[in-house]
């Protein structure tokens, strides 16, 4: 209890000491279907859960493991993905019935393909859940047909389609990390399809080598002939915390054949260590989500192999955050070469080993070791030290996005310098392209891949084709890694800081660095436009001179009219600035809107030229030029622009709109106050202007009125018209009519109630029948009938309309209750 209280205090203190994280913002956003970012999608109504992807070496064929099927997709064409072959592989009705009888949801009983690996140049090895009874088979990669009858896949493929697994085939042998039982309680790391004198191996589960793991990925290192597995599990060494999750890296040697007496058919080279994604004075990001291997550059030793992983935290202080950490292979080797913890069999507690080292855990070639050495290996498999990120720093931290999958690529820039580019998929359906720099990560762009969040199990990168493939529950989406043609000026090409793109000064276009040998203008590290671009290729306005303005938009307004000028943002990282010649934009006359626009009332002092600048990374570019002029003729809005501006406006019109900040009423409060005080004549209209864009397909727009609606309806109609002198004549007439109707209705209801009350008192009372009530003669039975006839005749008499009070009944009846002159 005391330890847990201490831990709670430590967690709270670390949360308070956490450094202020910079919110990483993508520079440009492309919504789904945007013409500025071309995507290709494959979907079929008969195909679902395309979540296992396998890409051919040349990148022309994509094999997809789906629900009850294996697909071969032709991805060699840029604009279309076509289905070449399809292998139907579904359970029988009997299998589905047995799966349902086991208590499983019928929707989880189909055959979900979870293992798809190249066995050799002609065959693919595929495994599926097959109604919670895993099956595996060999598939011809050309004809997509089964080469043999499926066999049992226990230990190779999970039973449950929601359980994560990893599989890799090296030299014809399958290495897997999955669960080996129906309930999912027996995690295993095993080898299958062994040939010659080698045998299939698996972990020894008597000491709990794995503690409820979630397998993420596996990687083969050729120089070491080792397989590395990455997963998250419960850290039993932290016995003072319940269910404390830790991220692990484990290793096994491919040459391992098990021990002769001890650890027979079991791994003798298994070892695991903790992956610690943590910065100084911060809580660790302890839950591994995905990891990718980045091989070293050509000519660089294998020790420089990097592993980039996405981590989240189980602590509430970092809830919703994602961190990316990179680990070097040499650091992993050093941890496995160090000391190991030892497990006390009596107390099941871990402690640092103090006894003499009998053998080196994780060392290859231990299958011929003595039984004493193998027993030592069996009990000492957890490294004492943790693998820490490169330079003890996090690669990037995202506080606004939660990442689920990533893939990494090394790109050579125009200056022959290598940069690491990460493609990260968010849970909300956006793909981020981020470049890793010394100053921190820079997100070049974000691309919306799908509208609604959905399960994503695979993210494949085709370096030869420059494409990324995303496998979702509905289909496969292809995204090009480069989008250089979107940047149509040198400044925009440099400000993007994209290692894939550079500015060609000859063709004056932004091109991919891998497609040309010409020296390109590019600055990935700082994005300095002044030093990178030729000064003759762009204009960097510092001071505004209207005499030099040869293009702009004429805005004709009437005096006292509310004018709103718009200014599109060049990117999410830019800031808008308005300028006037020889004049300051006083806050008393001008309102700077949240979307970068400018609003003011047209007066002789506010007429003239306006220039909107966008400032990004020290570079200024003109976004819009306006000339506000007083109307000279009838109240007809006339707007003229130059041909160049019309071309730019057409480019903006083709771009898909994206949400923009709304126009809030408090922004016009100073103007409303002046109007109510009588400083401004309350005769208001508005001018809708169209800005001059500087990029094609840029998804940054502002409020646009509906057809037939002007900004007067939106601004003046809501605020300024309310300042006019009110007139309530119509309202007074309506209220008076309603009041008269209400009074009339009340009187009518009251008279109706009085009439009902009077009628109820004139009707004879009927006595309750008794036992002797029917003992009457025929004459007595006839008397009531006569009375009724008498009453009816009286009602139609001339005096029946006289008022009846309390004595009405007394005038018509006697004390015995019978009508007068009626024989009894």
């Amino acid at each position: 209890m005391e330890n847990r209280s201490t831990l709670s205090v430590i967690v709270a203190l670390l949360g308070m000491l956490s450094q202020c994280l910079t919110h990483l913002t993508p520079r440009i956003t492309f919504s789904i279907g945007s013409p500025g970012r071309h995507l290709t999608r494959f979907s079929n109504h008969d195909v679902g859960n395309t979540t296992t992807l396998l890409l051919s070496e040349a990148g022309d064929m994509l094999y997809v493991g789906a629900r009850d099927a294996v697909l071969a997709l032709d991805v060699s064409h840029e604009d279309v993905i076509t289905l070449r072959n399809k292998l139907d592989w579904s359970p029988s009705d009997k299998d589905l019935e047995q799966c349902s009888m086991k208590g499983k949801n019928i929707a989880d009983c189909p055959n979900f393909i979870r293992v798809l690996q190249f066995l050799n140049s002609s065959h693919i090895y595929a495994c599926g859940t097959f109604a919670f009874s895993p099956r595996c088979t060999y598939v011809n990669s050309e004809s997509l047909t089964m080469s043999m009858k499926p066999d049992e896949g226990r230990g190779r493929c999970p039973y449950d389609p929601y359980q994560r697994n990893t599989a890799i085939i090296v030299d014809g042998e399958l290495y897997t990390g999955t669960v080996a039982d129906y309930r999912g309680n027996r995690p295993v790391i095993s080898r299958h399809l062994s040939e010659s004198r080698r045998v299939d191996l698996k972990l020894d589960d008597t000491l709990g080598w794995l503690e409820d793991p979630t397998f993420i990925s596996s990687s083969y290192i050729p120089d070491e002939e080792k397989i590395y597995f990455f997963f998250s599990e419960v850290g039993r060494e932290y016995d003072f915390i319940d269910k404390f999750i830790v991220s692990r890296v484990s290793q096994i040697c491919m040459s391992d054949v098990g021990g002769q007496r001890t650890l027979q058919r079991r791994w003798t080279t298994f070892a695991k260590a903790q992956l610690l994604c943590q910065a100084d004075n911060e809580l660790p990001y302890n839950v591994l989500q995905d990891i990718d291997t980045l091989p070293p550059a050509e000519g660089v030793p294998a020790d420089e192999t990097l592993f980039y992983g996405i981590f989240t935290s189980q602590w509430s202080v970092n809830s919703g955050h994602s961190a990316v950490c990179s680990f070097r292979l040499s650091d992993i080797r050093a941890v496995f070469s160090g000391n190991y913890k030892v497990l006390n069999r009596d107390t099941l507690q871990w402690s640092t080993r103090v006894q003499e080292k009998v053998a080196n855990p994780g060392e290859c070639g231990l299958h011929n070791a003595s039984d004493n050495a193998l027993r030592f290996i069996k009990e000492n498999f957890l490294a004492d030290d943790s693998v820490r990120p490169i330079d003890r720093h996090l690669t990037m931290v995202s506080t606004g996005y939660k990442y689920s999958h990533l893939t990494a690529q090394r790109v050579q820039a125009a200056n022959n310098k290598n940069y690491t580019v990460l493609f990260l998929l968010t849970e909300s359906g956006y793909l981020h392209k981020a470049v890793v720099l010394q100053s921190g990560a820079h997100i070049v762009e974000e691309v919306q891949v799908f509208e609604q969040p959905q399960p994503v199990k695979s993210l494949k990168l085709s370096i030869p084709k420059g494409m990324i493939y995303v496998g979702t529950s509905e289909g496969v989406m292809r995204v090009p890694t480069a989008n250089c043609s979107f940047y149509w000026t040198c400044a925009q090409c440099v400000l993007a800081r994209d290692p894939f793109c550079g500015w060609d000064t000859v063709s004056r276009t932004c091109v991919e660095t891998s497609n040309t040998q010409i020296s390109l203008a590019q600055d990935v590290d700082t994005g300095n436009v002044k030093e990178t671009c030729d000064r003759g290729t762009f204009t960097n306005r510092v001071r505004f001179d209207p005499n030099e303005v040869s293009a702009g938009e004429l805005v004709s307004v009437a005096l006292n009219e509310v004018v709103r000028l718009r200014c599109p943002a060049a990117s999410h990282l830019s800031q808008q600035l308005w300028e006037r010649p020889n004049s300051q934009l006083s806050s008393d006359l001008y309102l700077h809107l949240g979307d970068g626009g400018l609003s003011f009332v047209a007066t002789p002092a506010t007429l003239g030229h306006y220039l909107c600048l966008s400032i990004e990374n020290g570079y200024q570019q003109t976004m819009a030029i306006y000339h506000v002029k007083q109307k000279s003729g009838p109240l007809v809005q006339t707007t003229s622009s130059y041909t160049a501006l019309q071309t730019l406006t057409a480019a903006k019109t083709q771009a898909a709109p994206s949400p923009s900040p709304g126009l809030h009423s408090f922004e016009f409060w100073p103007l409303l106050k002046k109007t109510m005080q009588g400083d401004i004549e309350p005769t208001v209209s508005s001018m809708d202007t169209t800005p001059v864009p500087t990029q094609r397909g840029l998804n940054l727009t502002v409020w646009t009125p509906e057809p037939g609606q002007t900004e007067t309806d939106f601004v003046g109609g809501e605020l300024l018209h309310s300042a006019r002198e009110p007139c309530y004549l119509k309202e007074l007439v309506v209220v008076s009519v309603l009041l008269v109707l209400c009074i009339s209705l009340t009187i009518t209801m009251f008279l109706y109630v009085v009439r009902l009350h009077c009628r109820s008192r004139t009707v004879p009372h009927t006595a309750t029948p008794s036992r002797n009530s029917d003992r009457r003669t025929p004459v007595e039975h006839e008397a009531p009938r006569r009375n009724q006839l008498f009453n009816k005749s009286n009602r139609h008499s001339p005096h029946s309309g006289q008022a009846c009070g309390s004595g009405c009944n007394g005038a018509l009846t006697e004390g015995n209750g019978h009508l007068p002159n009626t024989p009894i």
Side-chain angles (χ1 to χ4, degrees):
M1 240 355 242
E2 201 170 314
N3 289 335
R4 294 184 181 180
S5 300
T6 304
L7 177 67
S8 301
V9 175
I10 294 175
V11 169
L13 290 176
L14 287 177
M16 291 185 293
L17 291 175
S18 296
Q19 298 176 356
C20 182
L21 302 177
T22 302
H23 180 69
L24 292 177
T25 302
R27 183 178 180 271
I28 294 178
T29 299
F30 295 96
S31 59
I32 191 168
S34 172
R37 202 67 160 94
H38 179 68
L39 308 180
T40 309
R41 179 181 179 182
F42 169 81
S43 62
N44 192 307
H45 66 279
D46 294 332
V47 177
N49 295 93
T50 56
T51 55
T52 305
L53 304 181
L54 178 65
L55 194 63
S56 63
E57 184 176 358
D60 294 331
M61 190 67 63
L62 180 69
Y63 298 94
V64 181
R67 182 180 64 242
D68 294 334
V70 178
L71 313 177
L73 302 180
D74 186 358
V75 294
S76 58
H77 303 285
E78 294 183 0
D79 298 331
V80 66
I81 299 177
T82 57
L83 176 63
R84 174 172 293 185
N85 287 316
K86 179 183 178 183
L87 170 64
D88 293 319
W89 185 19
S90 59
S92 63
D93 294 339
K94 183 179 179 181
D95 295 328
L96 295 176
E97 183 179 356
Q98 291 179 354
C99 177
S100 180
M101 291 177 62
K102 294 177 182 179
K104 299 301 180 181
N105 192 336
I106 193 64
D108 301 333
C109 291
N111 185 24
F112 295 90
I113 309 302
R114 298 301 303 274
V115 175
L116 207 62
Q117 292 289 320
F118 284 111
L119 184 67
N120 48 44
S121 59
S122 61
H123 283 81
I124 296 174
Y125 192 72
C127 299
T129 58
F130 208 84
F132 281 79
S133 180
R135 296 285 187 271
C136 295
T137 187
Y138 298 90
V139 180
N140 187 290
S141 58
E142 185 64 27
S143 61
L144 216 65
T145 57
M146 292 187 183
S147 300
M148 60 176 295
K149 185 178 180 181
D151 58 352
E152 184 182 9
R154 182 175 61 179
R156 309 177 189 186
C157 178
Y159 288 73
D160 193 329
Y162 298 102
Q163 288 178 335
R164 298 193 65 173
N165 69 301
T166 180
I168 186 173
I169 289 182
V170 181
D171 295 337
E173 294 178 321
L174 175 67
Y175 298 85
T176 63
T178 184
V179 292
D181 67 330
Y182 175 81
R183 299 180 180 273
N185 296 327
R186 289 183 54 197
V188 293
I189 293 177
S190 53
R191 182 176 66 198
H192 304 271
L193 311 179
S194 300
E195 298 179 355
S196 66
R197 295 184 300 173
R198 297 165 66 88
V199 295
D200 291 347
L201 297 179
K202 63 179 181 179
L203 290 181
D204 186 285
D205 53 3
T206 58
L207 287 180
W209 284 7
L210 296 174
E211 298 287 351
D212 192 18
T214 299
F215 293 101
I216 303 298
S217 178
S218 53
S219 180
Y220 167 57
I221 307 299
D223 291 352
E224 293 186 315
E225 292 191 350
K226 288 183 178 181
I227 306 292
Y228 287 94
F229 291 87
F230 300 91
F231 54 93
S232 295
E233 67 173 355
V234 178
R236 297 298 181 187
E237 66 268 30
Y238 301 98
D239 56 351
F240 53 90
I241 307 178
D242 293 335
K243 295 290 186 179
F244 178 64
I245 306 299
V246 296
S247 298
R248 303 286 197 197
V249 53
S250 66
Q251 63 143 48
I252 53 97
C253 294
M254 296 177 56
S255 59
D256 197 345
V257 294
Q260 297 179 357
R261 289 178 297 273
T262 303
L263 294 178
Q264 289 185 2
R265 293 184 177 272
R266 300 294 187 269
W267 295 109
T268 63
T269 57
F270 174 79
K272 67 179 182 180
Q274 180 179 359
L275 287 175
L276 190 57
C277 182
Q278 179 185 19
D280 295 337
N281 300 326
E282 291 186 4
L283 288 173
Y285 292 86
N286 56 325
V287 183
L288 180 63
Q289 299 294 331
D290 194 17
I291 199 164
D292 190 34
T293 304
L294 184 63
E298 186 177 355
V300 179
D303 283 348
E304 296 301 318
T305 301
L306 302 180
F307 303 94
Y308 285 90
I310 298 175
F311 295 81
T312 57
S313 176
Q314 72 178 109
W315 312 109
S316 59
V317 68
N318 288 332
S319 178
H321 298 179
S322 293
V324 177
C325 282
S326 58
F327 305 92
R328 189 179 285 111
L329 179 60
S330 59
D331 297 332
I332 297 177
R333 286 179 176 177
V335 171
F336 282 133
S337 300
N339 294 328
Y340 281 75
K341 297 181 184 294
V342 61
L343 178 64
N344 189 322
R345 294 186 178 182
D346 297 330
T347 62
L348 297 180
Q349 291 184 347
W350 291 90
S351 60
T352 304
R353 184 187 56 79
V354 293
Q355 66 268 32
E356 183 181 357
K357 181 185 288 187
V358 178
N360 294 320
E363 183 180 358
C364 297
L366 294 176
H367 51 278
N368 294 324
S370 63
D371 291 343
N372 186 29
L374 291 179
R375 281 193 295 269
F376 180 84
I377 295 297
K378 183 178 179 180
E379 298 176 357
N380 297 263
F381 54 86
L382 178 59
D384 185 41
D385 199 3
S386 300
V387 183
R388 296 185 177 272
I390 298 176
D391 299 330
R392 301 291 182 99
H393 291 294
L394 307 183
T395 302
M396 62 179 292
V397 178
S398 174
T399 59
Y401 306 96
K402 194 171 183 180
Y403 297 119
S404 60
H405 291 76
L406 92 161
T407 183
Q409 180 181 357
R410 181 175 286 103
V411 181
Q412 189 176 40
N415 57 359
N416 296 327
K417 183 179 179 180
N418 290 325
Y419 293 90
T420 299
V421 178
L422 303 177
F423 298 94
L424 305 108
L425 191 66
T426 69
E427 292 185 349
S428 59
Y430 284 84
L431 183 67
H432 287 189
K433 179 168 72 173
V435 55
V436 180
L437 305 173
Q438 291 291 337
S439 57
H442 167 68
I443 302 180
V444 178
E445 63 180 5
E446 66 172 355
V447 183
Q448 187 178 10
V449 181
F450 39 84
E451 294 182 358
Q452 298 297 331
Q454 51 189 288
V456 176
K457 299 297 182 183
S458 187
L459 195 67
K460 283 294 181 181
L461 172 64
S462 175
I463 296 180
K465 298 296 183 179
M467 297 291 178
I468 295 177
Y469 298 92
V470 183
T472 69
S473 59
E474 298 180 355
V476 177
M477 187 70 73
R478 180 174 64 182
V479 184
T481 57
N483 191 32
C484 303
S485 59
F486 174 76
Y487 310 107
W488 61 316
T489 65
C490 178
Q492 289 300 318
C493 190
V494 173
L495 287 174
R497 302 169 69 181
D498 190 343
F500 287 96
C501 303
W503 182 258
D504 186 355
T505 57
V506 178
S507 62
R508 301 179 66 83
T509 55
C510 192
V511 298
E512 294 188 34
T513 56
S514 59
N515 295 340
T516 179
Q517 301 295 330
I518 305 175
S519 178
L520 302 177
Q522 186 187 60
D523 186 4
V524 179
D525 292 314
T526 61
N528 193 320
V529 177
K530 296 180 181 179
E531 298 181 0
T532 307
C533 293
D534 183 8
R535 292 186 179 274
T537 62
F538 70 95
T539 302
N540 184 10
R541 288 189 181 276
V542 180
R543 299 188 62 182
F544 176 50
D545 186 1
N547 296 325
E548 298 179 359
V549 177
S550 59
E553 185 169 355
L554 180 62
V555 181
S556 299
V557 298
L559 292 180
N560 300 325
E561 183 177 344
V562 175
V563 183
R564 178 177 176 180
L565 305 180
R566 303 187 191 183
C567 181
S571 73
H572 294 303
L573 304 181
S574 64
Q575 295 179 350
Q576 288 104 317
L577 175 66
W578 288 91
E579 288 187 359
R580 287 201 65 191
N582 304 322
S583 177
Q584 297 292 332
L585 299 182
S586 173
S587 59
D588 296 334
L589 300 177
Y590 297 93
L591 294 175
H592 293 271
L593 305 179
D595 58 4
L598 185 69
S599 183
F600 56 91
V601 175
T603 63
T606 58
L607 298 177
H609 286 87
Y610 291 86
L611 177 69
C612 176
L613 300 176
S614 178
I615 303 176
E616 181 180 357
N617 200 19
Y619 169 71
Q620 294 182 358
Q621 55 181 323
T622 303
M623 303 302 297
I625 302 174
Y626 300 101
H627 178 55
V628 181
K629 182 180 178 182
Q630 182 180 357
K631 292 180 180 179
S632 58
L635 296 179
V636 179
Q637 176 178 322
T638 58
T639 302
S640 62
S641 60
Y642 292 87
T643 304
L645 294 176
Q646 292 177 348
T647 304
L648 299 179
T649 305
K652 174 183 180 296
T653 305
Q654 297 176 357
S658 62
S660 61
L663 188 62
H664 302 287
S665 59
F666 66 83
E667 296 175 345
F668 285 89
W669 173 248
L671 180 61
L672 178 61
K673 183 178 180 181
K674 289 179 177 291
T675 305
M676 297 180 66
Q677 292 176 351
D679 297 337
I680 300 177
E681 184 70 20
T683 303
V684 184
S685 61
S686 180
M687 188 68 196
D688 185 17
T689 60
T690 303
V692 182
T694 59
Q695 291 193 44
R696 293 172 292 179
L698 185 61
N699 293 344
L700 299 173
T701 60
V702 292
W703 177 84
T704 304
E706 300 293 337
Q709 180 187 18
T710 64
E711 287 190 2
T712 305
D713 301 328
F714 186 73
V715 179
E718 294 290 338
L719 293 173
L720 298 181
H721 287 331
S722 63
R724 298 179 179 179
E725 184 177 354
C727 180
Y728 301 110
L729 179 59
K730 294 182 180 180
E731 289 82 356
L732 180 60
V733 172
V734 172
V735 171
S736 301
V737 172
L738 292 177
L739 180 61
V740 171
L741 290 177
C742 290
I743 295 175
S744 302
L745 182 62
T746 303
I747 295 175
T748 303
M749 293 297 296
F750 175 78
L751 295 177
Y752 180 77
V753 171
V754 171
R755 181 183 178 187
L756 290 179
H757 180 69
C758 181
R759 179 178 296 179
S760 64
R761 298 192 61 179
T762 58
V763 176
H765 296 282
T766 302
T768 303
S770 62
R771 182 179 299 180
N772 300 325
S773 61
D774 292 334
R775 297 177 182 178
R776 292 178 293 180
T777 62
V779 179
E780 292 174 338
H781 280 284
E782 186 67 21
R785 298 178 184 175
R786 296 177 180 177
N787 294 339
Q788 294 177 1
L789 294 174
F790 179 77
N791 291 337
K792 291 182 178 179
S793 61
N794 287 340
R795 289 176 186 173
H796 295 283
S797 63
H799 302 285
S800 61
Q802 296 179 359
C804 296
S806 60
C808 183
N809 290 339
L812 296 176
T813 61
E814 294 179 350
N816 55 8
H818 297 283
L819 292 174
N821 303 323
T822 302
I824 300 179

